[in-house]
Amino acid sequence: MKAPVLVVDDDPIVREALTQTLELEDFPVIAAGSFVEAKDHIEPGFSGVILSDMRMPGRDGFHLLEFTHEVDAELPVILLTGEGDVPMAVRAMAMGAFGFLEKPCAPSELVAVIERAQKTRSMALENRRLKLQLETGDPAARLIFGISKQAELLRTQVRNVGRIGAEALVTGAQGSGISKVAEVIHLCSPQSKGPFGKHTAAGMVPDRFQQAVKDAGGGSLFLDEIQAMPMETQFALMALMEQGAHPRLIFGSAAQLRDAVGAGTLHGDLYYRMDALQVRIPSLSERPEDIPVLFRHYVAQAAEQSGVVAPDVTPDVISGLMARDWPGNARALMSVAMRFVLGLPGEETQSGGLGLVDQMAQVERSLLAEALRQHRGRASVAAKALKLPRKTMYDKLTKYGLKPEDFR
């Protein structure tokens, strides 16, 4: 939904005409006949923009502009005049007006200016939100991005697990950011002032394990790919856990650990102890609404690291990203953002001229494929998870050429 437009004009006919023009373009409109009527809507949290007549009885457009910038200097104000007064326009722009239009203006011109102003406002509020997160000292809010319910649930789980202090297991698909989430758990824990030791468990011999434990003293020890830890080191790990005096232990894995137990590569007792406190990272296909948020963050990060100006992330770029399956998750999205910033060739951010129907179909296909992956090709179980009738599920699988057996 688009952000609102506060329309301020003392002429009821003009005010109604402006309101109708904007509502036809799906802008929510708040109409006011004077500055006094409008000022209660002008506040720092206002998500929209202001469109005001210049000449009004009492308090004019200049006064409204000054008042607005005292409340929030980043709130765009577009001024209207019917007099074609160039000096007035120059003065308004010098005072910080976002735009200046002469009445009557063409609807296309008005809408274009409103859209630019709203984009500017949206970016200002997003930057403000991120800055606030940085200042709150909440590691989960600062370091785990996303606007979806799944992202918010992940942040809540990380905070809760961080406070508990017991052994924890972080799971997720390849590229989902397991080590990052493990570090955020550490930062949310009582051990946050201590070191965060990060190691892969694959090939870790007992001596190297003991050294890692010593180095992480007073902090947390993260062991990734825990299913690949040699069995003799697993016994040393379980002995350490029984002793009680050790760093906070956080484990990570992108594998199906039950399968590793069945195969005899992961000790059952270790698995059940780890599994008691598990944090699962949702894949991008489960939360597609987070893709634009994450991509913009990665673009800004890549631009800062490369010392270049971040390119504009257009709607076409976003639609191209949303149409992809993203089996590589956040890591793959980060790589695309880096190439995008550096202007390197690639089709990752191109929608290929697809229309809305085709783009939505690609998103739907990715959600179906992810459900099959999660439930190991069991289509009936995946259908329940997606809240689809079984027949509808199978019809869609046939439509997209997806075979459940390919995911087993």
Side-chain angles (χ1 to χ4, degrees), residues 110 269 307 323 346:
L110 173 63
D269 289 348

Side-chain angles (χ1 to χ4, degrees), residues 267-281:
H267 198 288
D269 289 348
L270 178 58
Y271 166 68
Y272 289 113
R273 184 155 182 174
M274 290 189 300
D275 195 49
L277 202 60
Q278 181 180 157
V279 175
R280 177 185 168 274
I281 307 171

Side-chain angles (χ1 to χ4, degrees), residues 2 170 199 268 332:
K2 294 181 179 179
V170 183
H199 301 269

Side-chain angles (χ1 to χ4, degrees), residues 21 47 51 54 71 78 110 148 159 168 178 183 218 220 229 233 290 295 298 318 339-340 346 352-353 383:
T21 297
S47 62
L51 176 66
M54 178 63 71
V71 173
I78 303 161
L110 173 63
S148 66
R159 294 182 188 109
I178 290 174
E183 186 169 5
S220 300
M229 175 178 272
T233 312
D290 288 341
F295 186 72
Y298 294 148
I318 294 299
R339 288 196 294 272
F340 178 69

Side-chain angles (χ1 to χ4, degrees), residues 140-208:
R142 287 190 287 112
L143 299 171
I144 299 177
F145 296 91
I147 59 174
S148 66
K149 291 181 180 179
Q150 293 94 327
E152 185 53 45
L153 176 60
L154 177 61
R155 286 189 285 267
T156 299
Q157 290 178 334
V158 165
R159 294 182 188 109
N160 291 340
V161 169
R163 285 193 291 266
I164 291 173
E167 297 90 1
L169 172 64
V170 183
T171 63
Q174 290 287 350
S176 59
I178 290 174
S179 63
K180 177 181 177 181
V181 169
E183 186 169 5
V184 178
I185 290 175
H186 164 71
L187 293 173
C188 291
S189 73
Q191 294 84 12
S192 61
K193 301 298 183 182
F196 177 71
K198 182 167 66 173
H199 301 269
T200 178
M204 176 176 272
V205 297
D207 287 347
R208 188 158 68 86

Side-chain angles (χ1 to χ4, degrees), residues 363-376:
V363 172
E364 183 178 50
R365 185 185 187 282
S366 70
L367 292 173
L368 292 167
E370 179 59 26
L372 288 174
R373 282 194 196 94
Q374 286 182 17
H375 300 288
R376 303 183 191 179

Side-chain angles (χ1 to χ4, degrees), residues 15-344:
R15 188 168 65 246
E16 181 62 25
L18 291 170
T19 298
Q20 289 183 0
T21 297
L22 294 172
E23 287 181 341
L24 285 172
E25 297 293 330
D26 296 326
F27 289 104
V29 176
I30 303 169
S34 66
F35 165 76
V36 173
E37 189 178 345
K39 68 181 180 67
D40 290 339
H41 299 284
I42 302 173
E43 54 187 22
F46 185 63
S47 62
V49 300
I50 300 171
L51 176 66
S52 175
D53 189 20
M54 178 63 71
R55 294 189 179 275
M56 294 183 291
R59 304 293 191 178
D60 62 9
F62 285 121
H63 181 82
L64 181 143
L65 178 62
E66 290 177 338
F67 176 84
T68 299
H69 284 179
E70 288 175 1
V71 173
D72 186 343
E74 295 179 307
L75 179 50
V77 177
I78 303 161
L79 294 173
L80 295 166
T81 181
E83 303 193 13
D85 192 329
V86 174
M88 184 179 290
V90 172
R91 179 186 169 196
M93 300 304 286
M95 291 175 60
F98 183 87
F100 191 94
L101 295 171
E102 185 175 356
K103 295 190 294 185
C105 61
S108 59
E109 183 182 6
L110 173 63
V111 169
V113 174
I114 293 291
E115 287 179 340
R116 288 200 304 272
Q118 290 210 340
K119 181 179 179 181
T120 300
R121 181 59 173 167
S122 176
M123 291 177 63
L125 291 177
E126 176 66 11
N127 290 337
R128 194 176 297 175
R129 183 185 67 81
L130 292 174
K131 182 179 178 182
L132 179 62
Q133 287 181 354
L134 288 171
E135 294 172 349
T136 60
D138 178 1
R142 287 190 287 112
L143 299 171
I144 299 177
F145 296 91
I147 59 174
S148 66
K149 291 181 180 179
Q150 293 94 327
E152 185 53 45
L153 176 60
L154 177 61
R155 286 189 285 267
T156 299
Q157 290 178 334
V158 165
R159 294 182 188 109
N160 291 340
V161 169
R163 285 193 291 266
I164 291 173
E167 297 90 1
L169 172 64
V170 183
T171 63
Q174 290 287 350
S176 59
I178 290 174
S179 63
K180 177 181 177 181
V181 169
E183 186 169 5
V184 178
I185 290 175
H186 164 71
L187 293 173
C188 291
S189 73
Q191 294 84 12
S192 61
K193 301 298 183 182
F196 177 71
K198 182 167 66 173
H199 301 269
T200 178
M204 176 176 272
V205 297
D207 287 347
R208 188 158 68 86
F209 168 67
Q210 295 295 345
Q211 185 60 50
V213 171
K214 181 179 179 180
D215 293 342
S220 300
L221 174 60
F222 171 59
L223 298 170
D224 201 5
E225 300 181 60
I226 188 61
Q227 79 286 349
M229 175 178 272
M231 188 56 69
E232 60 177 341
T233 312
Q234 291 184 39
F235 282 114
L237 170 59
M238 288 186 287
L240 178 76
M241 293 166 74
E242 290 298 327
Q243 295 173 10
H246 54 74
R248 168 80 182 271
L249 295 171
I250 306 173
F251 307 101
S253 178
Q256 296 291 338
L257 295 185
R258 283 185 179 273
D259 293 345
V261 174
T265 57
L266 180 65
H267 198 288
D269 289 348
L270 178 58
Y271 166 68
Y272 289 113
R273 184 155 182 174
M274 290 189 300
D275 195 49
L277 202 60
Q278 181 180 157
V279 175
R280 177 185 168 274
I281 307 171
S283 61
L284 285 185
S285 60
E286 295 176 75
R287 46 182 183 133
E289 62 267 46
D290 288 341
I291 292 173
V293 177
L294 288 167
F295 186 72
R296 288 191 174 96
H297 168 68
Y298 294 148
V299 165
Q301 191 176 60
E304 182 178 357
Q305 291 173 352
S306 305
V308 300
V309 177
D312 189 24
V313 181
T314 66
D316 284 343
V317 170
I318 294 299
S319 65
L321 296 170
M322 296 289 286
R324 289 190 58 188
D325 194 14
W326 295 108
N329 288 286
R331 187 179 301 150
L333 188 64
M334 192 181 302
S335 297
V336 171
M338 177 60 78
R339 288 196 294 272
F340 178 69
V341 167
L342 298 178
L344 298 178

